[in-house]
Amino acid sequence: QRQMCIRDRITPSPQIDHLLGSWKSWEFGFDEDNFLQTGTNYRYEVIDGRAMKNSIEECLQKNTMCLRTTENVTRIKKQTEKYVVSFGEGVESVVVDFLVDTRPPKRSNTCCVQQFVGLYLKIPPSEIGLERPLIMDYGPWQAEQEKSVFIYALPLSSDRVLIEATAFDNEVREEKYFIRHIENWWALRTGQSFLNKIECTESGILPMGETEPLFRIENSFGAAGGATRPATGYTLHGIERQLLVADLWTLSGGIPNFKFSKLSQFMDSKFLRVLRNEPDSMKEIFLKMAEGMTGDDFAKFLTDKGVLIVEVGNSRLALEQMFPEIAFFWFEFEEGDEGVFMLTSNELKVHSELFK
């Protein structure tokens, strides 16, 4: 129903017409500690995804060149320079010259997931102390054995909020698991029930790892086309970057292969290795990032514009002796995985000559 994004420039159309909120600061919560981040060049925005989708569909519906069918696609077949799209029984197939497939991809057996369940509630944000986006709240409302779950909360208007329970995990869980966490968080803040305040719900599963498109990668767009950042599940920025080269789609006979930067691919591989092997450590990683990053650093992390996370194992001392000028930010885990550090984009620029 909604899309979040990080901006450092003017909000494009049609997103600008469906903007729910724009903030220059946001918060993180870890047990009793809260961290406020403020963007100097970036802001955090939320788009009404459902309203934007409906508006685009209404516009296409008025176009006499547009034919819409609401039947599920059962098969796509490439024939020389054409594509044959088949639907359910009794529905005629469609032959097209060019195809953009936006269906969600299949996840591999080793693919981790970002799963969420959200509740839209009719209540003033001030009544629950919500002044700005709460990106992650990891406690103390949750049980010790469930460190992989956090609350994401948005003040959508003067009398409406979104409260969402999210987990980075190796398995898909039942919806009631997330509702229980929202209940615990809500009870700690208000001491009341939220059942009579629910307007609607939303839920979803985003891939964090290897995926496979339902058809060809050359025709896949969105998550199936690689727009989802594996370490965060953040997709909108990747989609917008795919759209920037839309004029090349028909010229090349397909959608250009999309990949995040090599720096982000490297960092994501380390990130996902920790998630697969030690999911409870995610809370510690995000705590260190909230402590050590500025608002712009966090924005660059989400938008593929900086922040390097590297594992050097037992070579920490040797690295520090080799680069005494650099104040490395070291992660500390409860067990294992020593020798993991982070450098922000600004630090990489300052010390770029040392890495040549």
Side-chain angles (χ1 to χ4, degrees):
Q1 295 188 32
R2 51 97 200 137
Q3 296 283 346
M4 54 76 66
C5 56
I6 294 287
R7 299 273 181 216
D8 64 346
R9 53 180 63 88
I10 296 174
T11 306
S13 178
Q15 291 94 315
I16 187 65
D17 300 321
H18 305 282
L19 193 64
L20 288 175
S22 181
W23 300 268
K24 291 289 288 183
S25 61
W26 45 86
E27 290 183 77
F28 294 83
F30 297 88
D31 299 320
E32 301 296 334
D33 296 322
N34 272 51
F35 300 92
L36 175 66
Q37 290 186 348
T38 300
T40 302
N41 300 309
Y42 291 83
R43 63 190 184 278
Y44 190 91
E45 292 188 347
V46 176
I47 310 296
D48 188 334
R50 173 179 285 181
M52 184 169 69
K53 176 176 178 289
N54 291 341
S55 175
I56 293 172
E57 289 179 347
E58 183 179 337
C59 180
L60 291 173
Q61 200 78 17
K62 295 176 182 177
N63 189 331
T64 56
M65 300 297 292
C66 178
L67 170 66
R68 186 188 185 197
T69 176
T70 56
E71 298 290 332
N72 288 330
V73 173
T74 58
R75 187 187 181 199
I76 300 174
K77 185 177 180 181
K78 191 173 190 311
Q79 291 184 346
T80 58
E81 300 301 317
K82 305 280 187 179
Y83 298 91
V84 180
V85 183
S86 301
F87 305 97
E89 187 176 344
V91 181
E92 187 177 352
S93 297
V94 174
V95 179
V96 296
D97 296 318
F98 189 76
L99 178 78
V100 178
D101 189 359
T102 64
R103 293 175 298 172
K106 294 183 289 186
R107 302 191 306 273
S108 69
N109 293 333
T110 59
C111 183
C112 300
V113 295
Q114 178 186 158
Q115 185 178 359
F116 61 89
V117 173
L119 302 179
Y120 289 83
L121 304 170
K122 193 72 172 177
I123 186 174
S126 58
E127 290 192 18
I128 56 173
L130 192 62
E131 299 179 11
R132 57 184 66 85
L134 179 58
I135 306 299
M136 288 180 168
D137 189 353
Y138 266 104
W141 48 270
Q142 60 178 319
E144 181 63 25
Q145 68 271 22
E146 296 175 339
K147 293 181 180 178
S148 65
V149 184
F150 62 88
I151 292 294
Y152 169 76
L154 285 176
L156 297 175
S157 67
S158 60
D159 63 350
R160 192 167 181 250
V161 300
L162 166 66
I163 311 298
E164 187 178 280
T166 302
F168 293 161
D169 215 332
N170 296 302
E171 59 179 313
V172 175
R173 300 180 181 271
E174 294 184 8
E175 186 172 303
K176 61 183 180 182
Y177 173 81
F178 296 91
I179 297 296
R180 175 166 55 83
H181 282 84
I182 296 176
E183 288 175 343
N184 293 342
W185 183 87
W186 185 268
L188 190 64
R189 289 214 165 198
T190 69
Q192 303 174 5
S193 169
F194 56 64
L195 294 180
N196 64 333
K197 304 181 186 300
I198 299 177
E199 291 185 334
C200 57
T201 65
E202 70 174 12
S203 61
I205 299 174
L206 297 172
M208 301 180 73
E210 288 188 21
T211 61
E212 180 184 349
L214 296 181
F215 188 48
R216 306 189 320 153
I217 188 65
E218 294 86 350
N219 296 92
S220 297
F221 177 78
T228 300
R229 178 80 186 274
T232 63
Y234 183 40
T235 305
L236 185 58
H237 180 69
I239 288 176
E240 291 182 343
R241 284 175 58 181
Q242 286 179 311
L243 288 172
L244 287 175
V245 294
D247 57 334
L248 299 177
W249 292 8
T250 52
L251 292 176
S252 62
I255 300 174
N257 191 23
F258 175 83
K259 288 187 180 296
F260 288 98
S261 68
K262 290 185 177 180
L263 175 62
S264 288
Q265 291 179 50
F266 173 79
M267 194 205 74
D268 289 349
S269 67
K270 299 298 181 184
F271 202 86
L272 293 177
R273 190 184 66 79
V274 175
L275 177 56
R276 291 189 188 101
N277 300 325
E278 201 177 342
D280 287 349
S281 293
M282 299 305 294
K283 177 180 177 180
E284 298 173 61
I285 290 179
F286 288 124
L287 170 58
K288 294 298 183 182
M289 292 175 73
E291 285 180 320
M293 284 183 173
T294 65
D296 281 4
D297 286 335
F298 173 70
K300 290 174 181 178
F301 166 70
L302 285 181
T303 56
D304 191 23
K305 294 182 179 178
V307 181
L308 175 67
I309 295 179
V310 180
E311 178 187 19
V312 295
N314 296 325
S315 301
R316 171 175 175 172
L317 181 59
L319 185 69
E320 290 177 322
Q321 290 174 342
M322 185 181 299
F323 300 108
E325 307 92 337
I326 302 176
F328 291 99
F329 187 91
W330 297 95
F331 291 106
E332 296 179 6
F333 302 107
E334 290 184 354
E335 53 183 71
D337 282 300
E338 295 181 357
V340 179
F341 70 85
M342 176 182 74
L343 288 177
T344 66
S345 57
N346 287 337
E347 290 169 327
L348 288 169
K349 288 179 182 177
V350 170
H351 302 294
S352 60
E353 291 297 320
L354 297 176
F355 299 115
K356 291 183 178 179

PDB file of all heavy atoms in Angstrom, residues 185-216:
ATOM      1  N   TRP A 185       4.594  -4.310  21.407  1.00  0.00           N
ATOM      2  CA  TRP A 185       5.134  -2.953  21.253  1.00  0.00           C
ATOM      3  C   TRP A 185       4.075  -1.917  21.619  1.00  0.00           C
ATOM      4  O   TRP A 185       4.353  -0.948  22.322  1.00  0.00           O
ATOM      5  CB  TRP A 185       5.590  -2.775  19.811  1.00  0.00           C
ATOM      6  CG  TRP A 185       6.233  -1.455  19.499  1.00  0.00           C
ATOM      7  CD1 TRP A 185       7.549  -1.118  19.640  1.00  0.00           C
ATOM      8  CD2 TRP A 185       5.581  -0.276  18.984  1.00  0.00           C
ATOM      9  NE1 TRP A 185       7.763   0.181  19.237  1.00  0.00           N
ATOM     10  CE2 TRP A 185       6.571   0.723  18.830  1.00  0.00           C
ATOM     11  CE3 TRP A 185       4.264   0.024  18.634  1.00  0.00           C
ATOM     12  CZ2 TRP A 185       6.285   1.996  18.347  1.00  0.00           C
ATOM     13  CZ3 TRP A 185       3.982   1.294  18.145  1.00  0.00           C
ATOM     14  CH2 TRP A 185       4.974   2.261  18.017  1.00  0.00           C
ATOM     15  N   TRP A 186       2.859  -2.138  21.121  1.00  0.00           N
ATOM     16  CA  TRP A 186       1.758  -1.198  21.367  1.00  0.00           C
ATOM     17  C   TRP A 186       1.405  -1.137  22.853  1.00  0.00           C
ATOM     18  O   TRP A 186       1.198  -0.050  23.406  1.00  0.00           O
ATOM     19  CB  TRP A 186       0.549  -1.632  20.559  1.00  0.00           C
ATOM     20  CG  TRP A 186      -0.612  -0.681  20.624  1.00  0.00           C
ATOM     21  CD1 TRP A 186      -1.663  -0.701  21.501  1.00  0.00           C
ATOM     22  CD2 TRP A 186      -0.840   0.439  19.767  1.00  0.00           C
ATOM     23  NE1 TRP A 186      -2.526   0.313  21.246  1.00  0.00           N
ATOM     24  CE2 TRP A 186      -2.052   1.041  20.190  1.00  0.00           C
ATOM     25  CE3 TRP A 186      -0.157   0.988  18.696  1.00  0.00           C
ATOM     26  CZ2 TRP A 186      -2.576   2.167  19.569  1.00  0.00           C
ATOM     27  CZ3 TRP A 186      -0.685   2.109  18.071  1.00  0.00           C
ATOM     28  CH2 TRP A 186      -1.878   2.692  18.515  1.00  0.00           C
ATOM     29  N   ALA A 187       1.340  -2.296  23.501  1.00  0.00           N
ATOM     30  CA  ALA A 187       0.990  -2.347  24.923  1.00  0.00           C
ATOM     31  C   ALA A 187       2.010  -1.607  25.773  1.00  0.00           C
ATOM     32  O   ALA A 187       1.654  -0.931  26.750  1.00  0.00           O
ATOM     33  CB  ALA A 187       0.885  -3.802  25.381  1.00  0.00           C
ATOM     34  N   LEU A 188       3.285  -1.704  25.401  1.00  0.00           N
ATOM     35  CA  LEU A 188       4.332  -1.028  26.159  1.00  0.00           C
ATOM     36  C   LEU A 188       4.203   0.485  26.025  1.00  0.00           C
ATOM     37  O   LEU A 188       4.493   1.232  26.962  1.00  0.00           O
ATOM     38  CB  LEU A 188       5.714  -1.478  25.660  1.00  0.00           C
ATOM     39  CG  LEU A 188       6.916  -1.060  26.499  1.00  0.00           C
ATOM     40  CD1 LEU A 188       6.855  -1.696  27.879  1.00  0.00           C
ATOM     41  CD2 LEU A 188       8.226  -1.452  25.804  1.00  0.00           C
ATOM     42  N   ARG A 189       3.734   0.960  24.878  1.00  0.00           N
ATOM     43  CA  ARG A 189       3.616   2.402  24.644  1.00  0.00           C
ATOM     44  C   ARG A 189       2.303   2.986  25.157  1.00  0.00           C
ATOM     45  O   ARG A 189       2.252   4.151  25.548  1.00  0.00           O
ATOM     46  CB  ARG A 189       3.735   2.699  23.148  1.00  0.00           C
ATOM     47  CG  ARG A 189       5.130   2.505  22.593  1.00  0.00           C
ATOM     48  CD  ARG A 189       5.432   3.487  21.498  1.00  0.00           C
ATOM     49  NE  ARG A 189       6.853   3.544  21.199  1.00  0.00           N
ATOM     50  CZ  ARG A 189       7.442   4.521  20.542  1.00  0.00           C
ATOM     51  NH1 ARG A 189       6.723   5.558  20.143  1.00  0.00           N
ATOM     52  NH2 ARG A 189       8.739   4.507  20.303  1.00  0.00           N
ATOM     53  N   THR A 190       1.233   2.193  25.101  1.00  0.00           N
ATOM     54  CA  THR A 190      -0.084   2.757  25.431  1.00  0.00           C
ATOM     55  C   THR A 190      -0.798   2.059  26.579  1.00  0.00           C
ATOM     56  O   THR A 190      -1.678   2.643  27.211  1.00  0.00           O
ATOM     57  CB  THR A 190      -1.007   2.696  24.197  1.00  0.00           C
ATOM     58  OG1 THR A 190      -1.333   1.321  23.915  1.00  0.00           O
ATOM     59  CG2 THR A 190      -0.326   3.308  22.977  1.00  0.00           C
ATOM     60  N   GLY A 191      -0.476   0.779  26.800  1.00  0.00           N
ATOM     61  CA  GLY A 191      -1.203   0.012  27.807  1.00  0.00           C
ATOM     62  C   GLY A 191      -2.609  -0.331  27.365  1.00  0.00           C
ATOM     63  O   GLY A 191      -3.438  -0.757  28.177  1.00  0.00           O
ATOM     64  N   GLN A 192      -2.916  -0.159  26.073  1.00  0.00           N
ATOM     65  CA  GLN A 192      -4.261  -0.383  25.556  1.00  0.00           C
ATOM     66  C   GLN A 192      -4.249  -1.384  24.405  1.00  0.00           C
ATOM     67  O   GLN A 192      -3.204  -1.777  23.905  1.00  0.00           O
ATOM     68  CB  GLN A 192      -4.857   0.943  25.073  1.00  0.00           C
ATOM     69  CG  GLN A 192      -4.911   2.027  26.116  1.00  0.00           C
ATOM     70  CD  GLN A 192      -5.370   3.357  25.534  1.00  0.00           C
ATOM     71  OE1 GLN A 192      -5.734   3.436  24.357  1.00  0.00           O
ATOM     72  NE2 GLN A 192      -5.344   4.406  26.337  1.00  0.00           N
ATOM     73  N   SER A 193      -5.436  -1.768  23.970  1.00  0.00           N
ATOM     74  CA  SER A 193      -5.589  -2.622  22.789  1.00  0.00           C
ATOM     75  C   SER A 193      -5.766  -1.745  21.561  1.00  0.00           C
ATOM     76  O   SER A 193      -6.293  -0.630  21.644  1.00  0.00           O
ATOM     77  CB  SER A 193      -6.810  -3.532  22.939  1.00  0.00           C
ATOM     78  OG  SER A 193      -7.104  -4.180  21.717  1.00  0.00           O
ATOM     79  N   PHE A 194      -5.323  -2.228  20.409  1.00  0.00           N
ATOM     80  CA  PHE A 194      -5.468  -1.458  19.172  1.00  0.00           C
ATOM     81  C   PHE A 194      -6.549  -2.026  18.260  1.00  0.00           C
ATOM     82  O   PHE A 194      -6.761  -1.530  17.151  1.00  0.00           O
ATOM     83  CB  PHE A 194      -4.145  -1.403  18.399  1.00  0.00           C
ATOM     84  CG  PHE A 194      -3.555  -2.758  18.085  1.00  0.00           C
ATOM     85  CD1 PHE A 194      -4.201  -3.653  17.247  1.00  0.00           C
ATOM     86  CD2 PHE A 194      -2.346  -3.140  18.636  1.00  0.00           C
ATOM     87  CE1 PHE A 194      -3.666  -4.891  16.950  1.00  0.00           C
ATOM     88  CE2 PHE A 194      -1.786  -4.383  18.346  1.00  0.00           C
ATOM     89  CZ  PHE A 194      -2.454  -5.255  17.504  1.00  0.00           C
ATOM     90  N   LEU A 195      -7.252  -3.061  18.671  1.00  0.00           N
ATOM     91  CA  LEU A 195      -8.189  -3.771  17.806  1.00  0.00           C
ATOM     92  C   LEU A 195      -9.269  -2.864  17.225  1.00  0.00           C
ATOM     93  O   LEU A 195      -9.670  -3.010  16.069  1.00  0.00           O
ATOM     94  CB  LEU A 195      -8.827  -4.935  18.569  1.00  0.00           C
ATOM     95  CG  LEU A 195      -7.857  -6.068  18.977  1.00  0.00           C
ATOM     96  CD1 LEU A 195      -8.605  -7.157  19.725  1.00  0.00           C
ATOM     97  CD2 LEU A 195      -7.165  -6.646  17.736  1.00  0.00           C
ATOM     98  N   ASN A 196      -9.759  -1.902  18.003  1.00  0.00           N
ATOM     99  CA  ASN A 196     -10.823  -1.025  17.514  1.00  0.00           C
ATOM    100  C   ASN A 196     -10.284   0.148  16.696  1.00  0.00           C
ATOM    101  O   ASN A 196     -11.035   1.009  16.250  1.00  0.00           O
ATOM    102  CB  ASN A 196     -11.647  -0.490  18.687  1.00  0.00           C
ATOM    103  CG  ASN A 196     -10.836   0.386  19.627  1.00  0.00           C
ATOM    104  OD1 ASN A 196      -9.615   0.227  19.722  1.00  0.00           O
ATOM    105  ND2 ASN A 196     -11.495   1.292  20.328  1.00  0.00           N
ATOM    106  N   LYS A 197      -8.979   0.180  16.474  1.00  0.00           N
ATOM    107  CA  LYS A 197      -8.366   1.271  15.728  1.00  0.00           C
ATOM    108  C   LYS A 197      -7.845   0.835  14.352  1.00  0.00           C
ATOM    109  O   LYS A 197      -7.348   1.647  13.578  1.00  0.00           O
ATOM    110  CB  LYS A 197      -7.211   1.882  16.531  1.00  0.00           C
ATOM    111  CG  LYS A 197      -7.626   2.374  17.918  1.00  0.00           C
ATOM    112  CD  LYS A 197      -6.459   2.996  18.663  1.00  0.00           C
ATOM    113  CE  LYS A 197      -6.839   3.358  20.082  1.00  0.00           C
ATOM    114  NZ  LYS A 197      -7.954   4.323  20.144  1.00  0.00           N
ATOM    115  N   ILE A 198      -7.949  -0.458  14.042  1.00  0.00           N
ATOM    116  CA  ILE A 198      -7.398  -0.981  12.793  1.00  0.00           C
ATOM    117  C   ILE A 198      -8.268  -0.568  11.598  1.00  0.00           C
ATOM    118  O   ILE A 198      -9.463  -0.819  11.566  1.00  0.00           O
ATOM    119  CB  ILE A 198      -7.282  -2.517  12.836  1.00  0.00           C
ATOM    120  CG1 ILE A 198      -6.336  -2.950  13.957  1.00  0.00           C
ATOM    121  CG2 ILE A 198      -6.777  -3.053  11.495  1.00  0.00           C
ATOM    122  CD1 ILE A 198      -6.227  -4.458  14.114  1.00  0.00           C
ATOM    123  N   GLU A 199      -7.650   0.081  10.613  1.00  0.00           N
ATOM    124  CA  GLU A 199      -8.327   0.427   9.366  1.00  0.00           C
ATOM    125  C   GLU A 199      -8.132  -0.669   8.321  1.00  0.00           C
ATOM    126  O   GLU A 199      -9.066  -1.084   7.651  1.00  0.00           O
ATOM    127  CB  GLU A 199      -7.781   1.743   8.812  1.00  0.00           C
ATOM    128  CG  GLU A 199      -8.143   2.967   9.618  1.00  0.00           C
ATOM    129  CD  GLU A 199      -7.676   4.236   8.931  1.00  0.00           C
ATOM    130  OE1 GLU A 199      -6.701   4.172   8.153  1.00  0.00           O
ATOM    131  OE2 GLU A 199      -8.290   5.287   9.140  1.00  0.00           O
ATOM    132  N   CYS A 200      -6.896  -1.118   8.156  1.00  0.00           N
ATOM    133  CA  CYS A 200      -6.573  -2.168   7.200  1.00  0.00           C
ATOM    134  C   CYS A 200      -5.183  -2.722   7.521  1.00  0.00           C
ATOM    135  O   CYS A 200      -4.483  -2.189   8.384  1.00  0.00           O
ATOM    136  CB  CYS A 200      -6.635  -1.661   5.757  1.00  0.00           C
ATOM    137  SG  CYS A 200      -5.557  -0.243   5.435  1.00  0.00           S
ATOM    138  N   THR A 201      -4.819  -3.779   6.834  1.00  0.00           N
ATOM    139  CA  THR A 201      -3.527  -4.411   7.076  1.00  0.00           C
ATOM    140  C   THR A 201      -2.759  -4.536   5.753  1.00  0.00           C
ATOM    141  O   THR A 201      -3.330  -4.406   4.669  1.00  0.00           O
ATOM    142  CB  THR A 201      -3.686  -5.819   7.692  1.00  0.00           C
ATOM    143  OG1 THR A 201      -4.348  -6.671   6.729  1.00  0.00           O
ATOM    144  CG2 THR A 201      -4.491  -5.762   8.972  1.00  0.00           C
ATOM    145  N   GLU A 202      -1.461  -4.778   5.858  1.00  0.00           N
ATOM    146  CA  GLU A 202      -0.637  -5.089   4.699  1.00  0.00           C
ATOM    147  C   GLU A 202       0.414  -6.113   5.116  1.00  0.00           C
ATOM    148  O   GLU A 202       0.753  -6.225   6.292  1.00  0.00           O
ATOM    149  CB  GLU A 202       0.041  -3.840   4.141  1.00  0.00           C
ATOM    150  CG  GLU A 202       1.131  -3.265   5.035  1.00  0.00           C
ATOM    151  CD  GLU A 202       1.884  -2.120   4.370  1.00  0.00           C
ATOM    152  OE1 GLU A 202       1.415  -1.635   3.327  1.00  0.00           O
ATOM    153  OE2 GLU A 202       2.936  -1.721   4.905  1.00  0.00           O
ATOM    154  N   SER A 203       0.887  -6.875   4.154  1.00  0.00           N
ATOM    155  CA  SER A 203       1.919  -7.867   4.447  1.00  0.00           C
ATOM    156  C   SER A 203       2.700  -8.140   3.173  1.00  0.00           C
ATOM    157  O   SER A 203       2.225  -7.866   2.061  1.00  0.00           O
ATOM    158  CB  SER A 203       1.307  -9.167   4.986  1.00  0.00           C
ATOM    159  OG  SER A 203       0.434  -9.756   4.034  1.00  0.00           O
ATOM    160  N   GLY A 204       3.893  -8.668   3.331  1.00  0.00           N
ATOM    161  CA  GLY A 204       4.694  -8.971   2.160  1.00  0.00           C
ATOM    162  C   GLY A 204       5.964  -9.716   2.505  1.00  0.00           C
ATOM    163  O   GLY A 204       6.354  -9.803   3.672  1.00  0.00           O
ATOM    164  N   ILE A 205       6.597 -10.257   1.484  1.00  0.00           N
ATOM    165  CA  ILE A 205       7.864 -10.979   1.626  1.00  0.00           C
ATOM    166  C   ILE A 205       8.798 -10.494   0.521  1.00  0.00           C
ATOM    167  O   ILE A 205       8.465 -10.563  -0.667  1.00  0.00           O
ATOM    168  CB  ILE A 205       7.664 -12.499   1.503  1.00  0.00           C
ATOM    169  CG1 ILE A 205       6.740 -13.008   2.605  1.00  0.00           C
ATOM    170  CG2 ILE A 205       9.008 -13.232   1.563  1.00  0.00           C
ATOM    171  CD1 ILE A 205       6.367 -14.475   2.460  1.00  0.00           C
ATOM    172  N   LEU A 206       9.957  -9.982   0.916  1.00  0.00           N
ATOM    173  CA  LEU A 206      10.948  -9.503  -0.040  1.00  0.00           C
ATOM    174  C   LEU A 206      12.155 -10.436  -0.028  1.00  0.00           C
ATOM    175  O   LEU A 206      12.603 -10.856   1.043  1.00  0.00           O
ATOM    176  CB  LEU A 206      11.397  -8.085   0.322  1.00  0.00           C
ATOM    177  CG  LEU A 206      10.310  -7.008   0.281  1.00  0.00           C
ATOM    178  CD1 LEU A 206      10.837  -5.703   0.853  1.00  0.00           C
ATOM    179  CD2 LEU A 206       9.817  -6.801  -1.136  1.00  0.00           C
ATOM    180  N   PRO A 207      12.686 -10.777  -1.201  1.00  0.00           N
ATOM    181  CA  PRO A 207      13.836 -11.687  -1.254  1.00  0.00           C
ATOM    182  C   PRO A 207      15.113 -10.991  -0.814  1.00  0.00           C
ATOM    183  O   PRO A 207      15.347  -9.831  -1.141  1.00  0.00           O
ATOM    184  CB  PRO A 207      13.898 -12.085  -2.728  1.00  0.00           C
ATOM    185  CG  PRO A 207      13.328 -10.903  -3.451  1.00  0.00           C
ATOM    186  CD  PRO A 207      12.250 -10.357  -2.545  1.00  0.00           C
ATOM    187  N   MET A 208      15.953 -11.701  -0.079  1.00  0.00           N
ATOM    188  CA  MET A 208      17.267 -11.205   0.323  1.00  0.00           C
ATOM    189  C   MET A 208      18.281 -12.285  -0.062  1.00  0.00           C
ATOM    190  O   MET A 208      18.695 -13.092   0.764  1.00  0.00           O
ATOM    191  CB  MET A 208      17.305 -10.902   1.817  1.00  0.00           C
ATOM    192  CG  MET A 208      16.289  -9.872   2.269  1.00  0.00           C
ATOM    193  SD  MET A 208      16.354  -9.532   4.034  1.00  0.00           S
ATOM    194  CE  MET A 208      17.880  -8.587   4.140  1.00  0.00           C
ATOM    195  N   GLY A 209      18.645 -12.310  -1.335  1.00  0.00           N
ATOM    196  CA  GLY A 209      19.550 -13.347  -1.816  1.00  0.00           C
ATOM    197  C   GLY A 209      19.229 -13.721  -3.252  1.00  0.00           C
ATOM    198  O   GLY A 209      18.656 -12.932  -4.013  1.00  0.00           O
ATOM    199  N   GLU A 210      19.573 -14.939  -3.634  1.00  0.00           N
ATOM    200  CA  GLU A 210      19.403 -15.383  -5.014  1.00  0.00           C
ATOM    201  C   GLU A 210      17.934 -15.592  -5.370  1.00  0.00           C
ATOM    202  O   GLU A 210      17.181 -16.179  -4.613  1.00  0.00           O
ATOM    203  CB  GLU A 210      20.168 -16.688  -5.246  1.00  0.00           C
ATOM    204  CG  GLU A 210      21.676 -16.516  -5.287  1.00  0.00           C
ATOM    205  CD  GLU A 210      22.356 -17.794  -5.716  1.00  0.00           C
ATOM    206  OE1 GLU A 210      21.699 -18.659  -6.338  1.00  0.00           O
ATOM    207  OE2 GLU A 210      23.554 -17.935  -5.433  1.00  0.00           O
ATOM    208  N   THR A 211      17.564 -15.088  -6.554  1.00  0.00           N
ATOM    209  CA  THR A 211      16.204 -15.279  -7.069  1.00  0.00           C
ATOM    210  C   THR A 211      16.286 -15.719  -8.530  1.00  0.00           C
ATOM    211  O   THR A 211      17.327 -15.606  -9.173  1.00  0.00           O
ATOM    212  CB  THR A 211      15.391 -13.977  -6.994  1.00  0.00           C
ATOM    213  OG1 THR A 211      16.030 -12.966  -7.801  1.00  0.00           O
ATOM    214  CG2 THR A 211      15.268 -13.484  -5.566  1.00  0.00           C
ATOM    215  N   GLU A 212      15.150 -16.198  -9.027  1.00  0.00           N
ATOM    216  CA  GLU A 212      15.065 -16.624 -10.428  1.00  0.00           C
ATOM    217  C   GLU A 212      13.769 -16.095 -11.021  1.00  0.00           C
ATOM    218  O   GLU A 212      12.689 -16.325 -10.476  1.00  0.00           O
ATOM    219  CB  GLU A 212      15.097 -18.152 -10.520  1.00  0.00           C
ATOM    220  CG  GLU A 212      15.014 -18.679 -11.945  1.00  0.00           C
ATOM    221  CD  GLU A 212      14.948 -20.196 -11.996  1.00  0.00           C
ATOM    222  OE1 GLU A 212      15.179 -20.844 -10.951  1.00  0.00           O
ATOM    223  OE2 GLU A 212      14.636 -20.744 -13.076  1.00  0.00           O
ATOM    224  N   PRO A 213      13.841 -15.363 -12.138  1.00  0.00           N
ATOM    225  CA  PRO A 213      12.609 -14.822 -12.733  1.00  0.00           C
ATOM    226  C   PRO A 213      11.720 -15.942 -13.265  1.00  0.00           C
ATOM    227  O   PRO A 213      12.207 -17.018 -13.619  1.00  0.00           O
ATOM    228  CB  PRO A 213      13.126 -13.934 -13.869  1.00  0.00           C
ATOM    229  CG  PRO A 213      14.472 -14.485 -14.210  1.00  0.00           C
ATOM    230  CD  PRO A 213      15.042 -14.997 -12.920  1.00  0.00           C
ATOM    231  N   LEU A 214      10.419 -15.695 -13.332  1.00  0.00           N
ATOM    232  CA  LEU A 214       9.487 -16.693 -13.847  1.00  0.00           C
ATOM    233  C   LEU A 214       9.648 -16.882 -15.347  1.00  0.00           C
ATOM    234  O   LEU A 214       9.345 -17.949 -15.885  1.00  0.00           O
ATOM    235  CB  LEU A 214       8.045 -16.278 -13.522  1.00  0.00           C
ATOM    236  CG  LEU A 214       7.695 -16.204 -12.032  1.00  0.00           C
ATOM    237  CD1 LEU A 214       6.236 -15.805 -11.854  1.00  0.00           C
ATOM    238  CD2 LEU A 214       7.958 -17.529 -11.331  1.00  0.00           C
ATOM    239  N   PHE A 215      10.120 -15.826 -16.029  1.00  0.00           N
ATOM    240  CA  PHE A 215      10.390 -15.920 -17.468  1.00  0.00           C
ATOM    241  C   PHE A 215      11.862 -15.575 -17.678  1.00  0.00           C
ATOM    242  O   PHE A 215      12.698 -15.878 -16.829  1.00  0.00           O
ATOM    243  CB  PHE A 215       9.450 -14.982 -18.243  1.00  0.00           C
ATOM    244  CG  PHE A 215       9.506 -15.122 -19.739  1.00  0.00           C
ATOM    245  CD1 PHE A 215       9.453 -16.377 -20.346  1.00  0.00           C
ATOM    246  CD2 PHE A 215       9.609 -14.004 -20.562  1.00  0.00           C
ATOM    247  CE1 PHE A 215       9.508 -16.515 -21.726  1.00  0.00           C
ATOM    248  CE2 PHE A 215       9.656 -14.128 -21.939  1.00  0.00           C
ATOM    249  CZ  PHE A 215       9.611 -15.383 -22.520  1.00  0.00           C
ATOM    250  N   ARG A 216      12.216 -14.924 -18.759  1.00  0.00           N
ATOM    251  CA  ARG A 216      13.608 -14.592 -19.048  1.00  0.00           C
ATOM    252  C   ARG A 216      14.051 -13.341 -18.284  1.00  0.00           C
ATOM    253  O   ARG A 216      13.274 -12.404 -18.101  1.00  0.00           O
ATOM    254  CB  ARG A 216      13.796 -14.335 -20.539  1.00  0.00           C
ATOM    255  CG  ARG A 216      13.324 -15.457 -21.456  1.00  0.00           C
ATOM    256  CD  ARG A 216      13.753 -15.224 -22.888  1.00  0.00           C
ATOM    257  NE  ARG A 216      13.644 -13.822 -23.277  1.00  0.00           N
ATOM    258  CZ  ARG A 216      14.383 -13.252 -24.222  1.00  0.00           C
ATOM    259  NH1 ARG A 216      15.310 -13.935 -24.849  1.00  0.00           N
ATOM    260  NH2 ARG A 216      14.216 -11.985 -24.555  1.00  0.00           N
TER     261      ARG A 216
END
